[in-house]
Amino acid sequence: MTDLIHVEDLRFVNKKDSFNFFNKTKQFELGPINIDLKAGETLAIIGANGSGKSLLAKLLVGLEKPDSGQIYLHGEALTKSNQRQRCLNIRMIFQNSNESLNPGITLGSILDEPLRLNTTMSMLERAAKIEQTLVKVGLMPEHQFFYRHMLSDGQRQRVALARALILNPQVLVADEPFAALDPSVRSQIVNLLMNIQRELGLGFIFISHNLGIVRHISDKIIVMRHGKVIEAGRTEVIFNWPKEEYTKKLVHAHQALINRQNT
Amino acid sequence: MSRSELYQEEFHPSPLQHTWLEFKENHIAVGGLCCFIFILTIVLFCNILAPFDPLLQKTDAILIPPAWEPNGSIVNVFGTDALGRDLLSRVMYGCQMTFGISIILVLVAMLVGVSVGAVAGMSRGVRSSVVNHTLDSMMAIPTLLIAIIIIAILGTGLVNSMWAITLALTPQFIHQTRDFVRQERKKEYVRAAKLDGAPPTQIFIRSILPNMGEVLVVQGTLALSIAILDISALGFLNLGAQAPTAELGAMLSEGIEVAYMAPWSIALPGAAIFLMMLSINLVGDGLRSALRNRLLH
């Protein structure tokens, strides 16, 4: 079985400040990064702030262009010529679902946009699909007439999820999807994601600081620091036998927290 | 119990209805709107409503005071001017001239300005910054001055002054649109639209434009007030509409000569300009807060 998504030697150098004399910030280099993910698997990316996790997510969905390296979907390289395929198959959930929804239009039109641009569905089919997707993520069909400001944070997260799912993608990339949620809503969303993943056989790549969730739902983990992958492997292996010093610290901190909660 | 009673609100208002529901709450703005509609009716139907031809001179009825004065007559409700023309008809036609032309000018300036601003905002690099900085330097000069300069080149006349004012108003729309587009482009919802595969024109029309209402209303109100004042000012200085034409500014400058004998001949056109400005600003202010509140509660 070939990998669903295969990333080979992905590199990116941030050269934004190259002509600024006064503010000589150090160049940020990301990579090389290698990822293999099979259908139905979950990959977690962990690491400190500024370690390039979000940048990696942006590279995967195509918001930034890598300097070298290739991303293969089903063994097929993603280039500029099959941009549409990327739009259809790799979808992103943004860090801040509040910002990622357009305040000026209804949720129905927000969900309609990807369908209108990427499929040949008629208006009625699209409306049916929107209702269906809203119900799937645990909202009501009436929510399509609502605006962003009328929803709670958890509901917004659900809409962001609906937006990602509406095109029946194969890979879902999520940048800290659970960060801004309270524990009960967070577990609701986690369960929702796991159910949907089981149903559709999605590959799911997500970034998180919450090691509890990472341990709970991910099959594989990569640990990033200063733009480099310092450790990668299966979840049980990393949590039980961490090799790098940094990973050990992370895991110990997590374990200490659990032990304190238990006593 | 029927299903419709299950939820108290089964009614999903459209964006326009939302705005109206918020606008209704502001009573002063609604007053302004009534005033605005009143002026608009006069502008549209003054051919039917005006009692006399505005250019008809009656030599036997010069400087008749308004009807509320002891020696006024009900035939000429607002009285007549120094050439015996009915002032009510002239104010009505003057409103049509000043107000109607201003609305058209602002619409044209808005259309051109928003399109150019959108192109400037969505593009990057030298082209964008050339457009921006050239127009920024133009914005430092007052519009009336730009209009006078343009008229000095093109010559006086109503059509020339219309061109001049449109050209003077457009940079502000370009600037506002460009700034707004720049600012919104960094936001995540635009990136999300980009990930949906939307080309730049689609991103602007479908994602950014629905959020631009407030900016456009503020700038449009401002531009409309400026256009009315500039057209009247140019008429007053004899650079715009020429003498026999019924235009509020030109009427003011004609009335100045007989101001001591017939104060109503400048008071009434002045009051008309005042009423226009007041209603425009009230409506604009109410509309702006309605558009903002629509997205808050």
Side-chain angles (χ1 to χ4, degrees):
Chain A
M1 184 183 162
T2 55
D3 291 328
L4 175 64
I5 189 162
H6 174 66
V7 177
E8 208 174 84
D9 262 348
L10 202 66
R11 281 168 205 271
F12 181 83
V13 181
N14 190 358
K15 42 195 172 305
K16 207 167 68 186
D17 292 320
S18 55
F19 61 91
N20 192 340
F21 298 107
F22 303 106
N23 182 16
K24 279 193 179 164
T25 45
K26 241 174 39 182
Q27 276 195 349
F28 183 79
E29 274 189 55
L30 182 80
I33 285 168
N34 294 292
I35 297 174
D36 291 309
L37 192 70
K38 291 190 172 57
E41 273 188 338
T42 305
L43 172 79
I45 304 172
I46 57 177
N49 290 337
S51 59
K53 305 187 303 289
S54 297
L55 184 60
L56 175 59
K58 280 176 194 158
L59 285 171
L60 285 175
V61 293
L63 268 181
E64 303 277 353
K65 282 196 195 75
D67 289 314
S68 69
Q70 274 297 346
I71 301 171
Y72 297 92
L73 188 73
H74 285 304
E76 207 178 308
L78 289 175
T79 53
K80 221 174 154 77
S81 60
N82 49 15
Q83 184 69 34
R84 168 164 285 196
Q85 203 190 352
R86 180 180 240 166
C87 291
L88 271 170
N89 290 322
I90 306 182
R91 299 285 291 166
M92 181 160 185
I93 302 175
F94 284 90
Q95 186 164 10
N96 189 347
S97 61
N98 190 16
E99 280 278 294
S100 71
L101 301 175
N102 194 334
I105 59 181
T106 59
L107 301 181
S109 347
I110 292 177
L111 293 177
D112 189 44
E113 187 170 40
L115 288 177
R116 189 167 43 77
L117 290 166
N118 291 302
T119 61
T120 52
M121 290 173 155
S122 70
M123 217 155 100
L124 284 175
E125 287 169 333
R126 293 205 302 257
K129 178 80 185 168
I130 289 169
E131 292 194 359
Q132 196 189 327
T133 315
L134 280 173
V135 172
K136 197 193 275 173
V137 297
L139 294 169
M140 287 189 292
E142 287 89 59
H143 277 111
Q144 62 178 299
F145 302 110
F146 283 37
Y147 287 87
R148 184 186 84 178
H149 66 277
M150 301 175 180
L151 302 181
S152 70
D153 280 346
Q155 286 172 318
R156 284 175 194 162
Q157 198 68 47
R158 280 164 197 255
V159 176
L161 183 61
R163 180 182 187 148
L165 288 175
I166 200 160
L167 288 173
N168 299 328
Q170 295 172 350
V171 181
L172 211 55
V173 179
D175 189 352
E176 298 194 31
F178 317 116
L181 303 174
D182 67 83
S184 64
V185 179
R186 189 191 296 153
S187 33
Q188 275 178 23
I189 301 268
V190 168
N191 290 339
L192 182 65
L193 265 172
M194 289 175 78
N195 282 337
I196 288 171
Q197 189 183 19
R198 209 171 301 136
E199 235 170 80
L200 304 174
L202 290 172
F204 182 42
I205 300 176
F206 79 107
I207 295 170
S208 184
H209 286 295
N210 189 327
L211 292 186
I213 292 179
V214 169
R215 189 170 199 176
H216 182 50
I217 68 176
S218 66
D219 300 300
K220 288 177 179 172
I221 291 182
I222 60 177
V223 186
M224 293 186 66
R225 197 179 189 199
H226 302 317
K228 303 265 181 296
V229 176
I230 56 170
E231 198 163 353
R234 302 209 72 82
T235 308
E236 318 86 68
V237 181
I238 297 230
F239 269 93
N240 292 324
W241 302 281
K243 276 188 234 116
E244 293 283 329
E245 194 57 34
Y246 181 67
T247 322
K248 274 181 194 160
K249 273 186 196 161
L250 274 179
V251 172
H252 283 305
H254 172 59
Q255 238 104 30
L257 206 65
I258 291 178
N259 290 340
R260 202 170 56 197
Q261 276 169 356
N262 288 343
T263 51
Chain B
M1 197 167 135
S2 68
R3 192 184 175 275
S4 60
E5 286 171 39
L6 191 59
Y7 300 108
Q8 289 192 324
E9 281 196 3
E10 276 280 13
F11 159 65
H12 301 295
S14 72
L16 221 59
Q17 283 171 316
H18 256 301
T19 315
W20 172 242
L21 287 177
E22 289 290 342
F23 189 84
K24 240 178 16 181
E25 300 297 307
N26 188 346
H27 300 291
I28 298 175
V30 173
L33 184 68
C34 294
C35 202
F36 190 82
I37 290 172
F38 171 68
I39 296 172
L40 213 60
T41 326
I42 289 178
V43 166
L44 291 177
F45 301 109
C46 73
N47 301 20
I48 308 164
L49 294 173
F52 294 100
D53 182 359
L55 300 179
L56 178 70
Q57 300 179 7
K58 283 185 283 187
T59 37
D60 54 338
I62 289 170
L63 291 179
I64 294 178
W68 53 85
E69 297 274 323
N71 49 352
S73 85
I74 200 69
V75 182
N76 304 105
V77 180
F78 278 8
T80 56
D81 66 1
L83 293 173
R85 294 175 294 197
D86 179 47
L87 216 56
L88 177 64
S89 316
R90 277 183 76 74
V91 168
M92 279 180 162
Y93 275 90
C95 282
Q96 186 186 36
M97 205 48 115
T98 312
F99 194 72
I101 287 177
S102 303
I103 287 184
I104 295 170
L105 294 188
V106 169
L107 286 181
V108 171
M110 191 185 276
L111 204 67
V112 174
V114 169
S115 343
V116 176
V119 172
M122 297 302 281
S123 62
R124 279 184 197 181
V126 182
R127 188 170 31 151
S128 167
S129 69
V130 164
V131 170
N132 189 35
H133 296 306
T134 319
L135 293 172
D136 273 6
S137 57
M138 269 187 77
M139 279 180 60
I141 314 167
T143 51
L144 189 58
L145 197 59
I146 299 180
I148 289 177
I149 294 170
I150 295 174
I151 283 174
I153 299 166
L154 294 176
T156 58
L158 188 61
V159 179
N160 285 351
S161 70
M162 281 164 69
W163 279 114
I165 292 168
T166 316
L167 286 178
L169 287 177
T170 312
Q172 300 181 357
F173 280 103
I174 297 179
H175 184 84
Q176 292 279 345
T177 312
R178 182 187 176 278
D179 267 11
F180 187 78
V181 171
R182 283 263 135 159
Q183 182 192 326
E184 294 297 295
R185 251 170 57 130
K186 291 188 196 120
K187 296 199 175 160
E188 277 192 337
Y189 73 83
V190 175
R191 297 183 140 201
K194 212 185 273 173
L195 278 187
D196 290 338
T201 39
Q202 285 270 334
I203 290 182
F204 178 72
I205 294 170
R206 299 257 177 184
S207 305
I208 298 180
L209 206 55
N211 295 308
M212 248 182 91
E214 208 182 309
V215 174
L216 285 184
V217 163
V218 172
Q219 193 56 42
T221 320
L222 203 65
L224 197 55
S225 336
I226 292 175
I228 288 179
L229 281 185
D230 282 4
I231 284 200
S232 335
L234 289 176
F236 185 79
L237 297 172
N238 269 328
L239 298 172
Q242 295 301 310
T245 326
E247 195 274 322
L248 294 177
M251 283 165 69
L252 279 177
S253 82
E254 283 167 32
I256 283 273
E257 293 157 17
V258 288
Y260 287 112
M261 273 187 292
W264 61 86
S265 62
I266 55 169
L268 292 170
I273 294 179
F274 169 73
L275 199 63
M276 279 178 202
M277 304 295 285
L278 188 71
S279 66
I280 288 168
N281 282 300
L282 285 179
V283 170
D285 194 50
L287 201 55
R288 185 183 52 127
S289 44
L291 284 171
R292 185 182 295 161
N293 291 341
R294 172 169 84 88
L295 298 178
L296 290 181
H297 42 75

